[in-house]
Amino acid sequence: MATAMTFSPTVQHALHHVTEIRYTLQGDGSKLPQTSAPEIIATMLDLLQVAPGHRILEIGTGSGYSTALLSHLVGDTGHVTSIDIDPDLTRRAAQRLRADGRANITLLSGDGVISVAGHPVDRIIAWASLERIPHMWARQTVPGAIMVTPVQVTDLAKTFLVVRVHRGEHHASLTADRLLQAGFAEASPEILDQWIVPPRGVDALTRDADERPWWLSARWLRSGGGQNESELLQQLVTSRRQAAGPLDEQDDAADFY
Ligand SMILES: C[S@@+](CC[C@H](N)C(=O)[O-])C[C@H]1O[C@@H](n2cnc3c(N)ncnc32)[C@H](O)[C@@H]1O
């Protein structure tokens, strides 16, 4: 996308004060794979409407970059609790956040989908796609809290949208008011060592001669007639047939998605 994105002054201020590469760069100069695109991070932080003094729960610490931005946004009177399923990432982020002088953060290691911050929070943000919004998010947020997360919108793999949800005065009242398209890996109760085959919604999986995985997510494969799945996938992998797709040349695949 060629258009320059604009963010709220508070998010722009945070982007200016936190050096992304302190968190995302690895020793060999490459980017840590568990890093979200800075524009997406900034867009989601804008949706979250963070203010000084807020208590935040973040799911998916990753590089620690978004944690540092949140730490800046809540200031000295606020607090960020951030959790990642991968303890190595938690350790790495802890070391960088400490070196950056960020003291208003608690880092945890575990499944953020089922863990709680231990105190009511004003905001929740997740950087990995959830199957659904966890019930306890309503219980551990204050009335008026805002939550921003990618969430699965169909039972097919890789069909999710970022949603903004508001908690009303009562636990049970959650209402969504914004949707955003963005790519994320799925939140998983285990550490993933690959991101090619989604951990949810894959109905058939095969590997080609080079051991590359090919997968399919399709409802009709679930109706009992799935015995030919591997044959079908093998055909898709091996045959070089070309078929016209639904897009015209001038169509944008992202819009179609
Ligand atoms: C896109 S990365 C996070 C990027 C991060 N916000 C940054 O600024 O670099 C997603 C993270 O979610 C973590 N994750 C996946 N499933 C999780 C779960 N169930 N609970 C907590 N963290 C999870 C992954 O280990 C990964 O570090």
Side-chain angles (χ1 to χ4, degrees):
M1 193 160 32
T3 49
M5 302 186 83
T6 51
F7 306 108
S8 66
T10 48
V11 168
Q12 281 186 44
H13 195 258
L15 292 171
H16 184 74
H17 275 83
V18 178
T19 309
E20 187 218 329
I21 53 170
R22 282 182 91 129
Y23 294 93
T24 56
L25 272 201
Q26 306 191 99
D28 63 1
S30 66
K31 264 203 174 177
L32 187 78
Q34 297 91 338
T35 305
S36 306
E39 307 77 51
I40 297 297
I41 293 181
T43 306
M44 285 172 62
L45 292 182
D46 252 351
L47 286 180
L48 197 62
Q49 296 178 357
V50 181
H54 273 163
R55 291 151 302 167
I56 314 267
L57 172 62
E58 174 182 60
I59 290 133
T61 316
S63 69
Y65 176 52
S66 53
T67 321
L69 291 169
L70 286 166
S71 150
H72 183 90
L73 288 166
V74 298
D76 293 340
T77 55
H79 192 81
V80 182
T81 303
S82 182
I83 182 162
D84 202 287
I85 193 75
D86 185 337
D88 287 342
L89 286 179
T90 306
R91 271 190 290 277
R92 179 187 179 282
Q95 184 255 321
R96 280 158 204 244
L97 289 161
R98 211 177 309 117
D100 207 5
R102 311 224 155 253
N104 56 353
I105 297 171
T106 303
L107 292 183
L108 303 171
S109 184
D111 187 349
V113 179
I114 54 169
S115 304
V116 291
H119 54 259
V121 295
D122 303 283
R123 300 286 185 265
I124 301 182
I125 189 156
W127 305 105
S129 172
L130 307 182
E131 225 171 328
R132 59 187 66 87
I133 309 243
H135 281 309
M136 67 182 181
W137 279 18
R139 285 204 300 277
Q140 69 167 321
T141 45
V142 299
I146 298 180
M147 306 154 221
V148 173
T149 180
V151 69
Q152 197 87 28
V153 289
T154 76
D155 56 358
L156 298 174
K158 291 282 170 208
T159 51
F160 46 76
L161 290 169
V162 174
V163 61
R164 178 168 72 181
V165 175
H166 296 258
R167 197 200 123 170
E169 287 305 312
H170 306 289
H171 287 343
S173 76
L174 293 181
T175 47
D177 73 333
R178 290 289 296 275
L179 290 174
L180 173 82
Q181 192 219 313
F184 281 95
E186 291 77 2
S188 148
E190 284 114 40
I191 302 170
L192 297 180
D193 56 3
Q194 60 82 36
W195 291 274
I196 298 172
V197 183
R200 295 195 295 271
V202 170
D203 297 296
L205 171 68
T206 191
R207 288 179 190 276
D208 65 15
D210 298 322
E211 280 301 299
R212 283 177 306 195
W214 291 68
W215 57 268
L216 204 62
S217 181
R219 284 197 189 95
W220 57 268
L221 285 173
R222 298 172 198 171
S223 58
Q227 59 270 33
N228 292 326
E229 290 161 26
S230 57
E231 225 169 84
L232 168 88
L233 271 159
Q234 213 47 54
Q235 264 180 35
L236 292 174
V237 172
T238 50
S239 89
R240 296 274 176 264
R241 270 180 312 130
Q242 297 259 332
L247 299 182
D248 290 332
E249 221 162 75
Q250 70 277 10
D251 289 338
D252 183 336
D255 290 348
F256 179 73
Y257 177 82

